[in-house]
Amino acid sequence: MDALINFIENWGYLAVLLGSMVEGESVILTASFLAAQGYLSISKVMIIAFLGTLFADQGLFFVGHRFGASFLERFPRLNKTANRAFSLLQKWGTLYILLFRFVYGVRIISPLVIGASGIPVRRFVLLNFIAAIIWTIVSCTLGYMLGEAVQHVIMNFKVYQFYFLGALLIIIAVVSLYVRYRKKKKGA
């Protein structure tokens, strides 16, 4: 267990940086969970996650802005995802730019598409900064709250043990009654 804790403390922040640069919500949620447990600093996790997502998406935007749609056309396997991202951008505009990090499947390609679509650099820089703040706060807060909730349940397990047992008995009773009802109905 000590080796795992040492690994988290030594490499956890690097994992946060790398995870925040790609579709890394699971990494950020896990790191925030671990911060609630005291293994990482939530403020460091938030700062690193913010910087990672900000710079990665800004870099991808500049690639899309510089090379345009021709860059995306070089990768035919990305057509479907790129078309979906472009469609969402056309439909939602600024709101999409602020929230694409939360849209499954288009997280990484969205900045490329936004850059290729002709959005002005200044506009994207500002919206990307705001979006990175939103994503960081939401992702880190959810992970941290989950960590605190789990810690609370573990610390008060004796209190919750009664409720878990009661819920389990109720579920067993309901399932048993349902099975009997179905058997009775088939026999009739």
Side-chain angles (χ1 to χ4, degrees):
M1 187 65 166
D2 288 338
L4 179 61
I5 291 170
N6 282 338
F7 182 81
I8 291 168
E9 290 172 346
N10 291 328
W11 298 100
Y13 296 115
L14 178 61
V16 170
L17 178 65
L18 297 175
S20 64
M21 296 176 101
V22 294
E23 292 190 56
E25 285 75 16
S26 58
V27 173
I28 303 309
L29 290 170
T30 303
S32 300
F33 178 93
L34 291 169
Q37 305 302 313
Y39 297 111
L40 297 172
S41 161
I42 190 63
S43 58
K44 287 181 183 177
V45 168
M46 292 180 86
I47 290 167
I48 294 168
F50 169 76
L51 293 173
T53 193
L54 180 75
F55 290 122
D57 291 334
Q58 199 63 57
L60 290 170
F61 170 83
F62 282 124
V63 169
H65 185 73
R66 168 71 175 94
F67 298 105
S70 64
F71 178 78
L72 292 169
E73 290 169 2
R74 291 183 203 167
F75 306 97
R77 289 185 20 211
L78 299 177
N79 282 348
K80 184 177 177 183
T81 308
N83 290 338
R84 180 173 175 231
F86 187 71
S87 170
L88 289 168
L89 176 62
Q90 284 182 319
K91 183 175 182 180
W92 298 102
T94 299
L95 187 61
Y96 179 71
I97 295 171
L98 290 173
L99 300 176
F100 73 80
R101 287 171 174 88
F102 298 100
V103 181
Y104 178 75
V106 296
R107 163 82 162 88
I108 293 176
I109 201 157
S110 289
L112 286 166
V113 169
I114 294 166
S117 73
I119 299 285
V121 173
R122 240 189 217 163
R123 180 172 177 224
F124 184 77
V125 169
L126 175 64
L127 293 174
N128 187 41
F129 186 83
I130 295 167
I133 291 171
I134 293 168
W135 178 82
T136 301
I137 291 171
V138 170
S139 299
C140 291
T141 301
L142 286 174
Y144 196 83
M145 287 172 51
L146 178 63
E148 285 188 332
V150 167
Q151 191 172 26
H152 178 75
V153 169
I154 290 170
M155 299 299 270
N156 297 298
F157 185 71
K158 287 193 179 216
V159 173
Y160 293 111
Q161 186 178 4
F162 173 76
Y163 295 112
F164 288 138
L165 183 58
L168 182 62
L169 291 174
I170 290 171
I171 290 169
I172 290 170
V174 169
V175 169
S176 296
L177 289 172
Y178 178 74
V179 168
R180 284 185 187 172
Y181 169 76
R182 295 290 293 171
K183 283 182 180 179
K184 201 177 214 181
K185 192 172 181 178
K186 273 188 174 180

